[in-house]
């Protein structure tokens, strides 16, 4: 009995310590998110060129390298900078067809939703999946080699997914604007 009580007390103490740690991480994150003009300039520069050296970045934002690096590390640790990536030209890689596909599920049961999320996450053709308000449940951003590849994706994967009731596709004819950069200009003023 005493060993069970000791174990449950230890488990409780561990859980409380874990929750306290999460709480302090949350507080630290909120404090860390207070950014000034220099932080925003750093973010603006890194959005344009994520491969900037720290020395070049520091020069662009009028800081010395050490404080600049410290600020970048803080932005990374707080989650403002999620990751660094290379942006690829899909057409030059043979992925010449881009489509936006709206999806409606039949009954929207939790099991169907979870299965749909898992399936979409595993399909390499899907670049983005967004839950929507309104008539449709999801918007998928899809890339494919060509119309035949897209048709196979649609017929063999999406339409065979349990719970999918309705699908509508729109093909991209021309990209007028395509950016990953968030607008920080008004925050800099």
């Amino acid at each position: 009995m005493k060993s069970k009580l000791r174990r449950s007390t230890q488990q409780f103490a561990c859980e409380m310590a874990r929750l306290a740690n999460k709480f302090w991480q949350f507080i630290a994150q909120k404090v860390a998110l207070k950014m000034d003009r220099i932080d925003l300039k750093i973010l603006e520069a890194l959005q344009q060129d994520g491969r900037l050296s720290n020395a070049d970045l520091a020069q662009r934002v009028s800081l010395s390298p050490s404080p600049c690096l410290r600020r970048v590390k803080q932005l990374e640790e707080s989650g403002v900078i999620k990751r660094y990536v290379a942006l690829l030209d899909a057409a030059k890689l043979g992925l010449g067809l881009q489509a936006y596909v709206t999806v409606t599920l039949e009954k929207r049961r939790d099991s169907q939703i979870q299965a749909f999320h898992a399936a979409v996450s595993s399909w390499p053709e899907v670049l983005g999946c967004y839950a929507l308000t309104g008539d449709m449940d999801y918007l998928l951003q899809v890339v494919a080699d060509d119309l035949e590849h897209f048709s196979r994706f649609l017929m063999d994967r999406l339409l065979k997914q349990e719970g999918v009731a309705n699908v509508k596709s729109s093909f991209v004819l021309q990209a007028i604007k395509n950016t990953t950069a968030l607008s920080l200009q008004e925050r800099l003023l």
Side-chain angles (χ1 to χ4, degrees), residues 99-102 150 154 158 167-171:
Y100 287 89
V101 181
T102 57
F150 179 80
L154 196 66
L158 186 55
V167 171
K168 292 182 182 176
S169 303
S170 296
F171 296 102

Side-chain angles (χ1 to χ4, degrees), residues 73-91:
K73 292 291 183 197
Q74 185 178 23
L75 291 166
E76 291 169 346
E77 289 168 4
S78 70
V80 172
I81 297 175
K82 291 170 47 173
R83 66 180 189 258
Y84 298 90
V85 298
L87 299 176
L88 308 178
D89 186 325

Side-chain angles (χ1 to χ4, degrees), residues 118-136:
V120 166
S121 296
S122 73
W123 295 333
E125 293 90 350
V126 178
L127 296 182
C129 175
Y130 309 94
L132 302 177
T133 61
D135 295 338
M136 299 297 166

Side-chain angles (χ1 to χ4, degrees), residues 142-156:
V142 178
V143 294
D145 298 343
D146 51 28
L147 192 54
E148 182 181 334
H149 179 191
F150 179 80
S151 179
R152 282 193 319 269
F153 163 76
L154 196 66
M155 303 301 276
D156 298 342

Side-chain angles (χ1 to χ4, degrees), residues 6 9 11 19 49 75 79 90 102 124 127 147 154 165 171 179 188:
R6 189 175 314 133
T9 304
Q11 289 171 339
L19 289 173
D49 184 358
L75 291 166
T102 57
L127 296 182
L147 192 54
L154 196 66
F171 296 102
T179 182
L188 292 174

Side-chain angles (χ1 to χ4, degrees), residues 34-158:
K34 291 184 179 176
M35 295 182 283
D36 61 14
R37 293 173 56 87
I38 294 173
D39 291 323
L40 293 174
K41 285 182 180 180
I42 288 170
L43 294 172
E44 185 80 14
L46 288 174
Q47 284 189 116
Q48 297 304 314
D49 184 358
R51 293 186 68 183
L52 278 174
S53 70
N54 184 57
D56 290 340
L57 180 61
Q59 186 177 21
R60 281 197 191 180
V61 299
S62 304
L63 276 181
S64 58
S66 289
C68 182
L69 183 59
R70 199 168 28 254
R71 283 175 180 259
V72 170
K73 292 291 183 197
Q74 185 178 23
L75 291 166
E76 291 169 346
E77 289 168 4
S78 70
V80 172
I81 297 175
K82 291 170 47 173
R83 66 180 189 258
Y84 298 90
V85 298
L87 299 176
L88 308 178
D89 186 325
K92 289 183 180 177
L93 293 169
L95 298 167
L97 184 78
Q98 184 175 357
Y100 287 89
V101 181
T102 57
V103 178
T104 305
L105 299 183
E106 286 174 352
K107 297 184 178 149
R108 298 176 187 91
R109 291 190 315 255
D110 283 345
S111 61
Q112 277 183 338
I113 292 170
Q114 290 172 355
F116 181 76
H117 290 184
V120 166
S121 296
S122 73
W123 295 333
E125 293 90 350
V126 178
L127 296 182
C129 175
Y130 309 94
L132 302 177
T133 61
D135 295 338
M136 299 297 166
D137 296 322
Y138 295 95
L139 175 67
L140 306 181
Q141 180 184 8
V142 178
V143 294
D145 298 343
D146 51 28
L147 192 54
E148 182 181 334
H149 179 191
F150 179 80
S151 179
R152 282 193 319 269
F153 163 76
L154 196 66
M155 303 301 276
D156 298 342
R157 291 187 180 173
L158 186 55

